[in-house]
Amino acid sequence: RDYLRHRASLLEHRAAHIQHMQKALQQMNVQLLQVLSDITGESGLAIIRAIVGGERDAHKLAALRDRRCKHSEEEIAKALTGHYRGEHLFALKQALALYDFYTAQVQECDAEIERQFSVLKPRGGGDLPPLDRRDKRDSHSKNAPSYDARGQLYRLTGVDLVAVTGLNASSVQTIIAEIGIDMSHWPSEKHFASWLGLAPHNDISGGKVLRSRTLKRCNRAGQAFRLAAQATIRSQSAFGAFYRRLRARLGPGQALVATAHKIARTVYHLLKHREPFQDMSAEEYEQRARQREIARLQKQARKLGLTLIQSPA
């Protein structure tokens, strides 16, 4: 847990120096952010290192772009036409040096975390199951662990939590570091969700609910579940359909917390019973929701002495 929290702080410090590089480029009127979505990618870092190295020719700098870059060399060269003043170049040089320093520190921290994983007692057996790439596209995140975090987590827990929609290796190892793998600390899924800060807190007086709200808590695992819920907003999965269904009725804020609550209950069940994750499509979820709605209406009609009749197509 301490190693992963330290790694997260290193990433926060590195992110600040990315902003410093962006500021130095803007002060020189070098509009690199207009043609590159990420200045710390292959094209961005190659151009920035060349600028720090003394290159000022915009066309030579644009030639360093990766072939997969969306914008052409002419567009990038036009964005690199600026005034390279000495004070801003000095700030850019130091920000790049600090970015490289923290990158090296993150890599060293990853090596130590991998060593700590290797000494933990494994609980999983067998080969790691294949991952469904339809909802698990490789994002090539620079903040992702450099080691095989998914394999280490499967060996530690005995269940592939990365297969859960919305979760990835980074978020899963954050969750496991905060909650552990022993679910007996929480008697039920409701207790687990309440500890995460994902369950509503009801103010009750005289048997009447006066106010219902989610308490603000500084819980790293709960924040990881919220980020996982945000990743499922547009997915064609059961979690995505659940979010869109609640958003129409409760709004985006409450729907996001409810989706995070649902993902947390799923993780609790997987860790407690050591069962593999079974994904459900959005179509199947909508069909089940429709069946539950029909059953509710039929029950209400029977109470009123009525009978539901399906209308013709």
PDB file of all heavy atoms in Angstrom, residues 56 75 102 122 163 172 230 272:
ATOM      1  N   ARG A  56      16.040  24.994 -34.089  1.00  0.00           N
ATOM      2  CA  ARG A  56      15.013  26.022 -34.204  1.00  0.00           C
ATOM      3  C   ARG A  56      14.263  25.948 -35.535  1.00  0.00           C
ATOM      4  O   ARG A  56      13.256  26.648 -35.691  1.00  0.00           O
ATOM      5  CB  ARG A  56      15.642  27.418 -34.072  1.00  0.00           C
ATOM      6  CG  ARG A  56      16.341  27.660 -32.738  1.00  0.00           C
ATOM      7  CD  ARG A  56      15.354  27.689 -31.586  1.00  0.00           C
ATOM      8  NE  ARG A  56      16.039  27.917 -30.326  1.00  0.00           N
ATOM      9  CZ  ARG A  56      16.467  26.947 -29.518  1.00  0.00           C
ATOM     10  NH1 ARG A  56      16.246  25.669 -29.845  1.00  0.00           N
ATOM     11  NH2 ARG A  56      17.090  27.226 -28.392  1.00  0.00           N
ATOM     12  N   GLU A  75       1.460  21.239 -40.991  1.00  0.00           N
ATOM     13  CA  GLU A  75       0.660  21.780 -39.892  1.00  0.00           C
ATOM     14  C   GLU A  75       1.481  21.893 -38.617  1.00  0.00           C
ATOM     15  O   GLU A  75       1.372  22.885 -37.881  1.00  0.00           O
ATOM     16  CB  GLU A  75      -0.569  20.900 -39.660  1.00  0.00           C
ATOM     17  CG  GLU A  75      -1.559  20.915 -40.809  1.00  0.00           C
ATOM     18  CD  GLU A  75      -2.678  19.913 -40.620  1.00  0.00           C
ATOM     19  OE1 GLU A  75      -2.440  18.865 -39.973  1.00  0.00           O
ATOM     20  OE2 GLU A  75      -3.791  20.163 -41.110  1.00  0.00           O
ATOM     21  N   TYR A 102      11.580  12.249 -12.604  1.00  0.00           N
ATOM     22  CA  TYR A 102      10.449  11.568 -11.969  1.00  0.00           C
ATOM     23  C   TYR A 102      10.057  10.318 -12.747  1.00  0.00           C
ATOM     24  O   TYR A 102       9.584   9.340 -12.152  1.00  0.00           O
ATOM     25  CB  TYR A 102       9.268  12.515 -11.831  1.00  0.00           C
ATOM     26  CG  TYR A 102       9.387  13.430 -10.625  1.00  0.00           C
ATOM     27  CD1 TYR A 102       9.658  14.784 -10.787  1.00  0.00           C
ATOM     28  CD2 TYR A 102       9.250  12.926  -9.334  1.00  0.00           C
ATOM     29  CE1 TYR A 102       9.779  15.617  -9.689  1.00  0.00           C
ATOM     30  CE2 TYR A 102       9.367  13.751  -8.241  1.00  0.00           C
ATOM     31  CZ  TYR A 102       9.635  15.096  -8.412  1.00  0.00           C
ATOM     32  OH  TYR A 102       9.763  15.917  -7.312  1.00  0.00           O
ATOM     33  N   PRO A 122       1.072 -16.703  -3.219  1.00  0.00           N
ATOM     34  CA  PRO A 122       0.033 -16.750  -4.264  1.00  0.00           C
ATOM     35  C   PRO A 122      -1.192 -17.516  -3.800  1.00  0.00           C
ATOM     36  O   PRO A 122      -1.105 -18.455  -3.009  1.00  0.00           O
ATOM     37  CB  PRO A 122       0.745 -17.461  -5.425  1.00  0.00           C
ATOM     38  CG  PRO A 122       1.766 -18.320  -4.758  1.00  0.00           C
ATOM     39  CD  PRO A 122       2.216 -17.579  -3.534  1.00  0.00           C
ATOM     40  N   ALA A 163     -10.721  -8.078 -15.683  1.00  0.00           N
ATOM     41  CA  ALA A 163     -11.777  -8.390 -16.648  1.00  0.00           C
ATOM     42  C   ALA A 163     -13.056  -7.629 -16.363  1.00  0.00           C
ATOM     43  O   ALA A 163     -13.929  -7.542 -17.246  1.00  0.00           O
ATOM     44  CB  ALA A 163     -12.050  -9.902 -16.636  1.00  0.00           C
ATOM     45  N   VAL A 172      -7.024  -1.664 -10.356  1.00  0.00           N
ATOM     46  CA  VAL A 172      -7.192  -2.885  -9.556  1.00  0.00           C
ATOM     47  C   VAL A 172      -6.127  -2.976  -8.479  1.00  0.00           C
ATOM     48  O   VAL A 172      -6.419  -3.316  -7.322  1.00  0.00           O
ATOM     49  CB  VAL A 172      -7.181  -4.130 -10.458  1.00  0.00           C
ATOM     50  CG1 VAL A 172      -7.109  -5.391  -9.619  1.00  0.00           C
ATOM     51  CG2 VAL A 172      -8.432  -4.172 -11.317  1.00  0.00           C
ATOM     52  N   GLN A 230     -16.851   5.926 -14.424  1.00  0.00           N
ATOM     53  CA  GLN A 230     -16.769   6.928 -15.477  1.00  0.00           C
ATOM     54  C   GLN A 230     -16.304   6.316 -16.797  1.00  0.00           C
ATOM     55  O   GLN A 230     -16.682   6.782 -17.870  1.00  0.00           O
ATOM     56  CB  GLN A 230     -15.822   8.047 -15.051  1.00  0.00           C
ATOM     57  CG  GLN A 230     -15.866   9.276 -15.923  1.00  0.00           C
ATOM     58  CD  GLN A 230     -15.074  10.427 -15.328  1.00  0.00           C
ATOM     59  OE1 GLN A 230     -14.429  10.286 -14.293  1.00  0.00           O
ATOM     60  NE2 GLN A 230     -15.121  11.573 -15.975  1.00  0.00           N
ATOM     61  N   LYS A 272     -14.802 -12.542  -2.636  1.00  0.00           N
ATOM     62  CA  LYS A 272     -15.298 -13.378  -1.545  1.00  0.00           C
ATOM     63  C   LYS A 272     -15.526 -14.815  -1.989  1.00  0.00           C
ATOM     64  O   LYS A 272     -15.212 -15.762  -1.247  1.00  0.00           O
ATOM     65  CB  LYS A 272     -16.591 -12.783  -0.989  1.00  0.00           C
ATOM     66  CG  LYS A 272     -17.112 -13.526   0.244  1.00  0.00           C
ATOM     67  CD  LYS A 272     -18.290 -12.803   0.863  1.00  0.00           C
ATOM     68  CE  LYS A 272     -18.746 -13.507   2.135  1.00  0.00           C
ATOM     69  NZ  LYS A 272     -19.875 -12.784   2.784  1.00  0.00           N
TER      70      LYS A 272
END
